[in-house]
Amino acid sequence: MGRQMTEMLKGTLEGIVLGILAAQPAYGYEITARLREQGFSDIVEGTVYALLVRIEQRGLVDVVKVPSEKGPPRKVYSLNAQGSEYLDEFWRTWNFLAERIEQLHHHTEQPHTEGE
C-alpha cells in the first residue's frame, strides 16, 4: 500500500490538515502528531511544514507566533474564513469522489453473469 498511499495523500493531505485545524488551532508538530494518531504514521514533519507554508501563502490560515519555552516562538495555525470555504469545497469534492469510487468498487465486486 505504500506507494499508492503516498500518491493519494499528495492530493488530499492539504484538506486533511485543514480539517485538523478546523477542530482547533495547532502548530506544526501538533499537526504531525494528530496525523499520526489518525493512522498516517509515515508522514514526516518536513512534508507537513512545507504544506503549512503553502496554505499560509494562499491565505487559508491565520498564523500567530507564540513564545516557546525552548527555542524560537512557535507558529500556531488556525483556519480562517477563506480556509473554511476551501475546506467545505474539499469535503464536497471528497464526498463526490468517495461515492463514485464506492459505486465502482461495489460494481466490480459483483461480477455480471451472462444474460444480465
Side-chain angles (χ1 to χ4, degrees):
M1 195 176 357
R3 177 141 192 226
Q4 271 190 347
M5 178 67 80
T6 299
E7 291 300 315
M8 288 183 178
L9 276 175
K10 282 182 184 178
T12 57
L13 189 58
E14 188 173 88
I16 294 167
V17 168
L18 292 174
I20 288 171
L21 294 175
Q24 82 179 70
Y27 60 93
Y29 180 78
E30 286 178 315
I31 294 167
T32 303
R34 289 186 195 152
L35 287 166
R36 290 180 178 153
E37 287 170 7
Q38 295 295 318
F40 299 105
S41 56
D42 292 340
I43 292 178
V44 294
E45 279 182 66
T47 300
V48 173
Y49 285 106
L51 186 145
L52 290 170
V53 168
R54 286 194 307 273
I55 63 175
E56 180 181 0
Q57 289 173 342
R58 290 174 49 211
L60 303 177
V61 293
D62 292 329
V63 180
V64 176
K65 289 188 178 182
V66 177
S68 172
E69 293 176 15
K70 305 173 190 172
R74 291 181 173 153
K75 286 176 127 181
V76 176
Y77 299 84
S78 59
L79 195 65
N80 62 25
Q82 186 176 342
S84 185
E85 288 176 22
Y86 184 90
L87 182 59
D88 289 344
E89 179 64 24
F90 171 83
W91 287 127
R92 281 192 296 276
T93 303
W94 176 261
N95 288 331
F96 174 84
L97 290 172
E99 287 171 11
R100 298 319 176 277
I101 291 168
E102 184 59 35
Q103 288 173 1
L104 180 61
H105 184 218
H106 180 72
H107 182 73
T108 58
E109 282 185 328
Q110 298 177 357
H112 292 336
T113 57
E114 293 221 13
E116 282 187 30

